[in-house]
Amino acid sequence: QVQLVESGGGLVQAGDSLRLSCAASGGTFSSYAMGWFRQAPGKEREFVAAITRNGASTYYADSVKGRFTISRDNAKNTVYLQMNSLKPEDTAVYYCAADSARWGISRLRHDYDYWGQGTQVTVSS
């Protein structure tokens, strides 16, 4: 079983950048596809980005494509989310998640087995 801990959130202005990190422990990190999701107040948790076990393929929500980049370092058991050109609508709690079942990647919440506690990102206008 893997434990996930996110970090790197904060309060920034529109147009700024942030890099989120998610450190994994207790499992074989390279055996999990990884995803980032976010949840804004009063809204459902939504998919942001995902990456395959070996980092060869990535997938993004249309709302962040071209602005966010997901990457992973299997030697450091860490997945990252580089967020550029942030907008107020990016404000949310960001969660990382691990999927043990597939070689590919999924945007579906129920495909992910393990979740972190989340980190708050607030973008002011």
Side-chain angles (χ1 to χ4, degrees):
Q1 184 169 344
V2 64
Q3 291 80 45
L4 304 172
V5 178
E6 303 95 334
S7 62
L11 171 63
V12 297
Q13 293 187 331
D16 286 350
S17 298
L18 274 178
R19 188 176 82 155
L20 305 183
S21 299
C22 172
S25 62
T28 304
F29 183 67
S30 59
S31 66
Y32 297 95
M34 298 298 296
W36 285 97
F37 290 74
R38 67 186 182 186
Q39 188 167 16
K43 295 188 176 181
E44 292 191 356
R45 193 170 300 188
E46 65 175 3
F47 171 80
V48 175
I51 189 167
T52 51
R53 296 179 181 189
N54 62 2
S57 296
T58 57
Y59 184 48
Y60 297 92
D62 288 343
S63 59
V64 306
K65 200 172 297 182
R67 298 188 299 123
F68 291 11
T69 303
I70 188 171
S71 62
R72 66 189 296 162
D73 186 337
N74 285 348
K76 296 183 177 179
N77 293 346
T78 302
V79 62
Y80 304 97
L81 186 68
Q82 178 67 43
M83 306 186 294
N84 298 331
S85 302
L86 282 162
K87 304 175 181 181
E89 51 263 45
D90 294 318
T91 295
V93 177
Y94 283 71
Y95 299 89
C96 70
D99 172 6
S100 64
R102 72 207 74 250
W103 286 98
I105 45 181
S106 171
R107 64 183 299 145
L108 302 177
R109 284 180 296 172
H110 64 252
D111 283 338
Y112 290 82
D113 310 289
Y114 305 103
W115 293 81
Q117 83 290 345
T119 185
Q120 176 71 47
V121 172
T122 303
V123 185
S124 64
S125 57

